[in-house]
Amino acid sequence: MSVAHLNQTLATWSPAQLGYAGEVLDVVRAPHPVLSAVGAFVDPLDPVMVALAADLVATMRVSPGCVGLAAPQVGISAQMFALDVTGHPKTRTCHGVFVLCNAVVVESSRQEKAREGCMSVPDFTGDVKRATRLTVTGLLPGTGAEVTITTDAFEARALQHEIDHCAGKLFLDRVAGAHAVHPRKVYK
């Protein structure tokens, strides 16, 4: 299957295909143990996982400034996350809203340091070095279709952040030291 076809599969996917409206779930905060556990692989056709995908999208959408949310952040140790960087000022490439299961980075390049925040670490941000060009494969919930996403800039950073959650890592695990952690600014 060609990459163009795989990206077309992603382009035609929407949360509506999950068949669930999705419930807004509570977001757990560090040091909750689920955030440091490696998530279980997911059957993207399992109805429980399909419902979780809808819940992740619903929770992400009601959370101001949220561009991604992983299953461990809602207390479920599973390799699944929702992402949508649409409209974020640092976005160059955008694939819209999508949910991936069992995502794996297959290629990355051009490391760059930038500030990151996280709903599970609400009081701090950190300077994290990540790839600015990225190719990821994963499965779409509800269909099980495999997709390949090649992206850059902010969407690449967000993907790596969410894949880290699925592997039991927080952005705090990626900072160079205490000097790279900052109190979160609150904008009114």
Side-chain angles (χ1 to χ4, degrees):
M1 195 176 292
S2 73
V3 171
H5 177 72
L6 292 175
N7 281 335
Q8 184 59 36
T9 300
L10 182 64
T12 60
W13 185 88
S14 83
Q17 290 175 292
L18 297 171
Y20 297 92
E23 293 180 33
V24 175
L25 303 176
D26 290 333
V27 174
V28 300
R29 295 181 176 191
H32 194 291
V34 73
L35 296 171
S36 59
V38 175
F41 283 99
V42 170
D43 174 354
L45 301 178
D46 178 341
V48 171
M49 292 295 112
V50 174
L52 174 60
D55 294 345
L56 289 172
V57 172
T59 305
M60 181 177 68
R61 286 189 167 149
V62 301
S63 306
C66 181
V67 296
L69 188 67
Q73 292 182 272
V74 295
I76 299 168
S77 186
Q79 295 200 19
M80 180 191 298
F81 61 85
L83 198 90
D84 185 7
V85 299
T86 304
H88 190 281
K90 293 180 182 173
T91 297
R92 284 205 308 250
T93 302
C94 180
H95 289 87
V97 62
F98 59 90
V99 179
L100 282 185
C101 304
N102 310 328
V104 177
V105 174
V106 293
E107 191 175 327
S108 64
S109 62
R110 299 193 59 193
Q111 297 283 312
E112 185 177 281
K113 192 184 307 180
R115 190 71 55 95
E116 289 185 22
C118 179
M119 289 175 53
S120 293
V121 186
D123 300 327
F124 297 98
T125 60
D127 300 324
V128 181
K129 197 174 199 179
R130 301 233 191 235
T132 60
R133 293 187 183 187
L134 192 71
T135 300
V136 170
T137 62
L139 304 174
L140 293 174
T143 69
E146 181 178 85
V147 294
T148 298
I149 300 168
T150 299
T151 191
D152 59 13
F154 188 71
E155 190 174 58
R157 177 167 295 277
L159 273 166
Q160 291 166 89
H161 181 105
E162 300 311 325
I163 289 170
D164 270 1
H165 274 301
C166 295
K169 294 189 182 311
L170 295 172
F171 76 86
L172 295 173
D173 297 315
R174 298 269 185 208
V175 298
H179 66 280
V181 178
H182 311 280
R184 182 184 284 274
K185 292 179 181 168
V186 179
Y187 299 99
K188 300 202 183 213

